[in-house]
Amino acid sequence: AHGYYYSRWNKCIHSTRDFSDMVYIDNYIFNKDVFIQFNSTVGEYVGYTELGVFNARRFNNDPNLLQQERAEVETYCKHNAEIRQAAIADKT
């Protein structure tokens, strides 16, 4: 009960059938507060605390990491959304 809480979650958000508005969000959370976030519409990490700003600067200086995160819209979000949409459409 008196420990620390850390989690990381990501999500894909879209509202169109063609996924043209797909957004990928990757959150780093400490004690229930987001301290750093990657948002594909921004295209880089944003820090919300002192530690988050420090890490965002470090992460944003890594071109390989940024390339990987930016690609998640296509490789993770759209890929999985297409599979789910096909599964739903096949049942209608």
Side-chain angles (χ1 to χ4, degrees):
H2 296 292
Y4 296 102
Y5 173 81
Y6 171 82
S7 67
R8 180 178 174 190
W9 57 263
N10 54 40
K11 63 182 174 179
C12 305
I13 302 169
H14 70 92
S15 61
T16 60
R17 285 185 174 265
D18 67 356
F19 313 125
S20 60
D21 63 343
M22 184 73 73
V23 177
Y24 171 74
I25 299 174
D26 188 5
N27 286 307
Y28 295 73
I29 302 158
F30 182 72
N31 284 351
K32 300 182 182 180
D33 291 322
V34 174
F35 69 95
I36 187 170
Q37 179 184 80
F38 178 87
N39 183 316
S40 64
T41 58
V42 176
E44 65 182 18
Y45 288 92
V46 175
Y48 297 102
T49 65
E50 186 176 344
L51 177 63
V53 170
F54 173 81
N55 282 316
R57 189 175 299 119
R58 204 167 51 89
F59 293 169
N60 289 332
N61 284 326
D62 183 342
N64 293 327
L65 181 60
L66 281 179
Q67 181 181 4
Q68 181 181 346
E69 286 283 65
R70 291 171 181 159
E72 293 292 350
V73 172
E74 295 295 328
T75 60
Y76 175 70
C77 292
K78 289 184 180 178
H79 171 75
N80 287 309
E82 287 167 356
I83 292 169
R84 289 185 180 102
Q85 183 169 304
I88 292 167
D90 289 346
K91 292 181 179 13
T92 58

